[in-house]
Amino acid sequence: MESKAGTTETRSNITASDGDQVAALESLQFTDEFHRLILAPPSDNATSLTALLELPASRALELLHSPASAKLIAASASSFEALKGNFLFPSNTTLIDQAARSSVFAGGVNNTNNKSNAPETTSNNATLNLEKAVKSEPAETESCQPLVSDPAVEKRNFKRKDREKKAKGSTKKSKTAANDSSDGPEKLPYVHVRARRGEATDSHSLAERARREKINARMKLLQELVPGCNKISGTALVLDEIINHVQSLQNQVEFLSMRLAAVNPRTDFNLNSIFTTESGSLPDSNFPSMVMPLIWPEVQVNGNKQQHQQQWQFDALQQPVWGREVCNNYITPENSLLSYDSSANSVAEVELFSSNGQWTTNKQRCMQIKLKMEL
Amino acid sequence: MRSPFSLKQEFLKKWILGLQRCRSSKKNMSIFKRKKVIKLSADVAMASARKGTTCWSRALIADAVKEGNADKHLAEKILGPASERQPTEKVPVGAMAYNKRIRSKKILKRSSVIRRTIKCAPQAARPSSIVKTLVGKRRQILRSLIPGGEFMNGVSLIEETLDYIISLRAQVDVMRSLASASKLVNLN
């Protein structure tokens, strides 16, 4: 499209003039408003550019202060299928790649200060856009999601707007750069929407289109979040996948809670008793800190017992098995525990058997529950 | 802020606190009651970890402590004395008015749709309407899945789904690792 060619040209001009910061943003596509902003006084360039790119993502800002936390977020969003008990390091790098490619924050921490002030400077004053934008943006700023793919969402937002705009026939509804940069820091950012050639330009259809675009952007986010949704096209099928995913997660919670209830058939049920026996008598506030080392093997623990090391090796062995299986197959890891556990004495084996036996009857009940839920 | 690791930490902390609060009544429970306690405390901990910023978390807690619920006392015990409960960031009053508006709109819509379908021939032949009904049905299902989903309109539904999925994942992670850890502890 000629408009895209035009944008790429202006973008290349920008990179020549602005250097590293804009080079990091080169992969993103901008609408004409951004070009005007760029051609405005260079002191405001970087801030307004980066500001516009993350209009609703004020919370994502704080999140993505460092590349490390960006990886964490990507890991949590993407590591569901590859549960290896490895919470700190990403096992699926696709989201990280996307974040790296599209992230404004690839430029580093320096940008964040500018960005936190800058979103507010992009407000417009009195055009048709604003009434609709006022409605849409407060909703966005109130409930924005701290996902690493928020920059990706902005990118797509801008792409969509770019595609919709035709260079010659479009009506321009956005303010110029001069006004943008002169606004105070406390106003809300606005969505820039263009009316396509031949489309109705009244505020209602504009509002409708902005709303639809927002919904589509969020759907893209969801598609990235739910594994296996990237290749599906069409809202209905994607929604199907999302529904299945939510249902499976809820089922997993049910099964896991049943499993936790069953895991200590002989001892008095009290998860805390596990922690107290391991860590002695501690005040409540220390429980999380003691629990975490027990659970997350990667965390360094002071005063390790030898047994803990063995436990963690078991854990590392178990996790790949558990990560791959579906929630119905809870029998298999316990069987595999028996096979791995060369050092277990007879008492331990008996306990496992008893919990196994109990688990089978519970498993049937859980299957019933699952079937009921899937209706 | 809402990085996943701190979310899990917070969830775990609150869950343990909640379980401790239920400790006294746990002596002679059957396994299913225990399971209910675990699940309830986990859900409440998850919801309170959001500190009232999202609609589903508020709806989940409100549902747990509403009047007709069998486990209301349990939920209240888990949540702790009222002074400890987290103040919600959004004003619930405004949300209630908004909910009522949405509900009345839906009732109006449903009644008008019924009238329309009785009068005119079904227009499902048009592809756009087919797609709309397909998507609409799925949206209904999604609304029924997410706690408090009936009150959300299109955009917020998707945002709430996003947040809910993330929270559920964190919850599953923590519970799974806890189960494995306790299993290994039992071995010794």
Side-chain angles (χ1 to χ4, degrees):
Chain A
M1 281 200 323
E2 55 278 356
S3 60
K4 265 189 185 163
T7 58
T8 49
E9 278 172 29
T10 42
R11 242 184 293 129
S12 54
N13 292 341
I14 298 153
T15 52
S17 57
D18 282 356
D20 283 352
Q21 263 187 334
V22 184
L25 308 169
E26 206 180 48
S27 58
L28 299 167
Q29 300 184 352
F30 307 120
T31 58
D32 274 354
E33 302 92 289
F34 304 147
H35 296 317
R36 262 177 277 120
L37 282 170
I38 289 151
L39 297 173
S43 59
D44 285 341
N45 272 358
T47 59
S48 42
L49 265 179
T50 55
L52 282 174
L53 285 168
E54 38 130 28
L55 291 169
S58 50
R59 279 195 205 169
L61 273 177
E62 302 158 48
L63 247 192
L64 297 169
H65 259 257
S66 65
S69 59
K71 278 186 189 160
L72 275 181
I73 296 154
S76 78
S78 61
S79 65
F80 174 69
E81 292 300 334
L83 273 175
K84 295 190 167 58
N86 194 348
F87 300 108
L88 290 179
F89 302 106
S91 46
N92 185 352
T93 54
T94 52
L95 265 186
I96 301 169
D97 290 345
Q98 278 190 1
R101 257 184 277 121
S102 63
S103 170
V104 174
F105 309 102
V109 189
N110 321 330
N111 293 337
T112 56
N113 293 334
N114 296 337
K115 286 168 205 157
S116 48
N117 298 330
E120 284 71 35
T121 65
T122 65
S123 55
N124 295 321
N125 285 328
T127 57
L128 261 179
N129 248 0
L130 299 186
E131 308 150 26
K132 152 194 60 71
V134 169
K135 285 179 232 150
S136 55
E137 278 315 311
E140 279 191 340
T141 50
E142 273 175 11
S143 62
C144 55
Q145 299 297 320
L147 298 173
V148 73
S149 36
D150 255 347
V153 172
E154 323 312 350
K155 168 187 170 187
R156 285 190 195 83
N157 264 336
F158 306 142
K159 262 194 196 157
R160 213 168 288 118
K161 291 175 201 158
D162 222 9
R163 262 181 258 125
E164 287 189 337
K165 138 188 89 104
K166 312 261 166 140
K168 286 158 194 172
S170 58
T171 45
K172 310 205 170 187
K173 304 237 171 203
S174 50
K175 276 245 141 184
T176 59
N179 292 335
D180 283 336
S181 50
S182 64
D183 279 338
E186 291 314 312
K187 299 205 183 157
L188 294 167
Y190 286 104
V191 176
H192 300 281
V193 178
R194 253 160 216 265
R196 254 191 290 187
R197 182 181 184 146
E199 278 195 7
T201 57
D202 57 326
S203 58
H204 289 295
S205 48
L206 277 176
E208 182 65 33
R209 194 175 318 123
R211 186 177 156 270
R212 253 182 286 138
E213 285 185 359
K214 244 204 308 189
I215 289 184
N216 287 339
R218 302 292 190 271
M219 288 291 300
K220 291 273 183 191
L221 266 181
L222 263 179
Q223 262 187 304
E224 284 180 2
L225 195 62
V226 176
C229 258
N230 283 326
K231 301 160 189 156
I232 302 180
S233 61
T235 318
L237 297 173
V238 168
L239 279 176
D240 263 346
E241 281 297 312
I242 293 168
I243 287 171
N244 282 338
H245 194 64
V246 170
Q247 274 177 338
S248 76
L249 280 174
Q250 285 175 337
N251 289 349
Q252 288 204 349
V253 169
E254 286 272 341
F255 290 153
L256 277 169
S257 61
M258 178 65 83
R259 183 177 174 193
L260 279 174
V263 90
N264 299 334
R266 293 222 237 124
T267 62
D268 190 10
F269 165 74
N270 197 348
L271 285 177
N272 302 316
S273 68
I274 303 170
F275 305 133
T276 48
T277 51
E278 287 301 311
S279 54
S281 58
L282 286 176
D284 286 0
S285 56
N286 283 346
F287 268 136
S289 54
M290 284 310 293
V291 161
M292 250 82 78
L294 185 68
I295 290 180
W296 282 289
E298 293 83 6
V299 179
Q300 197 66 10
V301 176
N302 318 324
N304 246 351
K305 288 188 251 174
Q306 193 59 24
Q307 301 164 346
H308 282 189
Q309 298 285 8
Q310 289 177 354
Q311 283 179 13
W312 289 339
Q313 287 166 11
F314 277 157
D315 208 14
L317 283 170
Q318 305 303 330
Q319 285 309 323
V321 177
W322 278 321
R324 265 182 266 122
E325 71 194 3
V326 183
C327 33
N328 311 352
N329 303 336
Y330 275 131
I331 288 295
T332 42
E334 292 166 9
N335 292 336
S336 61
L337 256 180
L338 285 177
S339 60
Y340 281 140
D341 190 6
S342 54
S343 60
N345 50 9
S346 55
V347 176
E349 285 180 15
V350 165
E351 196 170 351
L352 271 177
F353 274 123
S354 65
S355 66
N356 264 347
Q358 210 167 5
W359 184 240
T360 41
T361 54
N362 294 335
K363 187 190 174 194
Q364 290 159 9
R365 186 166 172 94
C366 288
M367 292 300 289
Q368 293 170 12
I369 298 172
K370 184 188 179 196
L371 286 171
K372 271 186 228 160
M373 285 204 285
E374 281 188 354
L375 277 177
Chain B
M1 258 276 301
R2 277 201 213 168
S3 70
F5 195 62
S6 69
L7 174 66
K8 285 173 187 163
Q9 278 179 344
E10 206 170 328
F11 165 61
L12 189 66
K13 220 191 308 184
K14 292 201 164 144
W15 191 21
I16 290 177
L17 280 176
L19 285 174
Q20 278 181 323
R21 285 194 182 116
C22 294
R23 195 173 176 162
S24 54
S25 54
K26 267 191 243 157
K27 294 298 170 187
N28 298 318
M29 269 199 225
S30 76
I31 183 171
F32 297 114
K33 271 197 181 167
R34 267 190 265 150
K35 173 235 172 195
K36 233 198 290 186
V37 168
I38 294 177
K39 179 159 192 290
L40 184 62
S41 52
D43 287 340
V44 166
M46 199 74 235
S48 66
R50 281 291 182 227
K51 290 193 181 67
T53 49
T54 52
C55 183
W56 67 267
S57 57
R58 289 196 302 267
L60 202 137
I61 292 183
D63 204 43
V65 297
K66 78 179 176 194
E67 290 305 309
N69 206 353
D71 296 317
K72 176 178 179 237
H73 60 282
L74 204 60
E76 282 183 338
K77 227 195 287 184
I78 293 175
L79 277 169
S83 55
E84 278 184 23
R85 291 187 202 174
Q86 299 281 356
T88 55
E89 289 183 15
K90 286 192 187 177
V91 180
V93 179
M96 287 303 294
Y98 178 69
N99 298 340
K100 283 185 188 156
R101 239 184 293 139
I102 294 267
R103 254 180 292 171
S104 47
K105 270 192 201 167
K106 284 188 185 162
I107 294 172
L108 268 176
K109 249 193 238 173
R110 251 181 262 137
S111 53
S112 62
V113 162
I114 289 172
R115 255 183 278 131
R116 234 184 281 138
T117 51
I118 289 175
K119 283 190 181 170
C120 23
Q123 302 194 3
R126 257 187 290 153
S128 55
S129 49
I130 292 178
V131 170
K132 271 191 186 160
T133 50
L134 279 180
V135 174
K137 276 187 193 159
R138 282 160 177 83
R139 270 183 207 234
Q140 271 304 111
I141 299 178
L142 198 57
R143 277 197 182 100
S144 67
L145 276 180
I146 297 180
E150 301 89 27
F151 309 128
M152 304 174 200
N153 62 350
V155 183
S156 54
L157 180 68
I158 299 184
E159 289 176 355
E160 295 290 323
T161 314
L162 275 168
D163 199 58
Y164 189 56
I165 289 181
I166 294 175
S167 315
L168 273 181
R169 272 193 198 169
Q171 193 174 358
V172 164
D173 280 347
V174 171
M175 289 175 95
R176 196 173 285 204
S177 57
L178 188 62
S180 62
S182 57
K183 176 70 71 180
L184 292 170
V185 166
N186 269 353
L187 278 179
N188 290 351

